[in-house]
Amino acid sequence: MGLNERQKILVVDDERNVADTLCTILSGNGYECRAAYSAEESIGVMAHWQPALAIIDVILPEMSGIELAILLNAQHPSVKLLLISGQFLTGTMLEDAATRGHTFDVLAKPIPVPQMLAAAANLLQPPPVS
């Protein structure tokens, strides 16, 4: 990655104000950010724009954020994933995904800004050189 190249983050949330706010915060902290307001829209964005990290709301219309994360993991294995949720049902959905061999980092909404930035930075760190 070049010196002027910012790490790309895709935010997927059907609540436009949440997605847009997260992108504004991330952009203000040195990331290149795009928002998608559905799983389907995010798949289209991923076809031509490769983010390093996707922050995905668990509860989305049509396809859930967990199903989207599983799909992205299969199609774009280099993309780091961070799920966000304000819903109680998330625990059951995550347990179901875990039984199928898929585990994800999850932050609870509302997300304190420092916690989100720390999680993004942590996921985007290059792996240690051995």
Side-chain angles (χ1 to χ4, degrees):
M1 185 160 50
L3 282 175
N4 296 336
E5 199 173 322
R6 300 184 307 164
Q7 289 183 296
K8 298 176 182 177
I9 299 178
L10 174 64
V11 175
V12 185
D13 197 318
D14 60 315
E15 293 180 63
R16 287 177 176 265
N17 61 333
V18 172
D20 293 344
T21 299
L22 290 178
C23 267
T24 299
I25 291 165
L26 290 162
S27 295
N29 281 275
Y31 298 102
E32 183 179 338
C33 190
R34 291 197 184 166
Y37 309 114
S38 69
E40 296 74 16
E41 182 182 349
S42 72
I43 292 166
V45 170
M46 292 288 294
H48 58 82
W49 192 73
Q50 274 282 275
L53 172 65
I55 299 175
I56 306 168
D57 187 23
V58 172
I59 307 298
L60 295 170
E62 310 300 320
M63 178 189 291
S64 79
I66 292 173
E67 292 302 320
L68 173 61
I70 291 169
L71 178 74
L72 292 181
N73 222 359
Q75 293 181 350
H76 306 278
S78 67
V79 176
K80 306 285 188 219
L81 303 170
L82 176 62
L83 299 182
I84 57 175
S85 179
Q87 300 292 325
F88 177 72
L89 295 174
T90 301
T92 308
M93 294 170 71
L94 287 168
E95 288 168 16
D96 179 55
T99 62
R100 295 183 284 150
H102 304 283
T103 57
F104 302 103
D105 292 318
V106 182
L107 292 179
K109 287 174 161 180
I111 307 161
V113 171
Q115 183 182 4
M116 183 194 57
L117 292 172
N122 188 44
L123 284 167
L124 292 169
Q125 278 184 2
V129 179
S130 48

